[in-house]
Amino acid sequence: EAGVTQSPTHLIKTRGQQATLRCSPISGHTSVYWYQQALGLGLQFLLWYDEGEERNRGNFPPRFSGRQFPNYSSELNVNALELEDSALYLCASSLVGSPNYGYTFGSGTRLTVV
Amino acid sequence: EDQVTQSPEALRLQEGESSSLNCSYTVSGLRGLFWYRQDPGKGPEFLFTLYSAGEEKEKERLKATLTKKESFLHITAPKPEDSATYLCAVPGGNYQLIWGAGTKLIIKP
């Protein structure tokens, strides 16, 4: 069974540009979660999508947005990139929108803003 | 407020030196506790799920236990490849996992 896949693995952008990160969940998982992990820090919750709808978002500015497609894959968009957006962005999926079953994570996208 | 606290923040052990990591939680109505392992630059890897006090799970040199207020991850005779950050999490009231800050484990050969 394929796990959660994220692309690209690495992304280098210039301040002010836009970045698009992609995630494919495990087959059968309808929920996708996005997290930001800055170097040496913990997981910061960004966004939760389930059945194509945004269900919850963390304490991040509106320039962090995303969407979930009919096949449950998801993309995260970060507009007007700032240097402090440099981080590992992790996508996770879970079954039927419940955290009671835990999450399965992808390997992440390392975003570097220069 | 739902909260998860892990201790210690970092733990350095010699190869073969057993120890335990702690995860204490404050949540109304525990619906599971999860342990993950995270290597640098990688996504967290699922280790265990515990659902009720008294439950224990084992995997190689790791054993996770759960009480009504905390969970322990016991590491027996660790090897350098066990070095990683260990994270615990519990489901919160808003359909999210509440994460601890993690314990960075370093095993010296």
Side-chain angles (χ1 to χ4, degrees):
Chain A
E1 177 185 89
V4 177
T5 58
Q6 292 188 244
S7 63
T9 305
H10 294 88
L11 189 58
I12 300 175
K13 291 286 186 178
T14 303
R15 189 171 53 184
Q17 285 188 317
Q18 178 196 42
T20 298
L21 288 62
R22 296 181 175 82
C23 172
S24 293
I26 288 176
S27 177
H29 285 192
T30 62
S31 272
V32 171
Y33 306 83
W34 287 96
Y35 283 84
Q36 181 195 68
Q37 189 174 37
L39 193 62
L41 299 182
L43 296 170
Q44 300 297 316
F45 169 68
L46 267 167
L47 290 159
W48 169 32
Y49 292 95
D50 184 62
E51 296 286 0
E53 300 286 333
E54 180 181 304
R55 302 296 185 182
N56 201 3
R57 67 179 294 130
N59 189 25
F60 282 85
R63 57 191 187 83
F64 287 84
S65 65
R67 54 179 170 167
Q68 186 178 35
F69 299 99
N71 65 354
Y72 302 115
S73 66
S74 175
E75 67 179 29
L76 173 69
N77 295 294
V78 188
N79 294 319
L81 284 165
E82 301 179 1
L83 296 178
E84 52 264 34
D85 295 333
S86 295
L88 181 67
Y89 288 83
L90 293 162
C91 170
S93 71
S94 74
L95 192 64
V96 296
S98 169
N100 296 2
Y101 300 96
Y103 299 166
T104 302
F105 283 87
S107 296
T109 293
R110 170 69 64 185
L111 174 64
T112 302
V113 183
V114 297
Chain B
E1 181 184 349
D2 297 337
Q3 195 169 359
V4 175
T5 303
Q6 292 188 245
S7 62
E9 288 186 14
L11 182 60
R12 297 173 185 269
L13 300 172
Q14 289 294 132
E15 183 173 0
E17 181 183 1
S18 301
S19 187
S20 297
L21 283 54
N22 177 265
C23 171
S24 62
Y25 59 88
T26 305
V27 63
S28 53
L30 183 68
R31 290 167 285 138
L33 185 142
F34 305 95
W35 281 99
Y36 287 80
R37 168 195 169 126
Q38 186 176 25
D39 293 303
K42 301 289 181 62
E45 175 189 349
F46 171 77
L47 290 173
F48 303 110
T49 306
L50 301 166
Y51 285 107
S52 57
E55 189 175 358
E56 299 183 352
K57 293 275 181 72
E58 289 190 61
K59 181 180 179 179
E60 297 181 356
R61 295 175 292 281
L62 300 176
K63 183 168 81 171
T65 62
L66 181 66
T67 72
K68 289 185 178 180
K69 293 184 178 181
E70 58 192 348
S71 176
F72 292 94
L73 185 64
H74 307 276
I75 302 176
T76 302
K79 299 181 178 182
E81 53 262 40
D82 295 322
S83 298
T85 295
Y86 291 85
L87 300 165
C88 71
V90 298
N94 60 349
Y95 294 92
Q96 299 298 314
L97 280 181
I98 310 299
W99 293 89
T103 293
K104 184 175 182 179
L105 178 65
I106 300 170
I107 308 298
K108 298 179 180 180

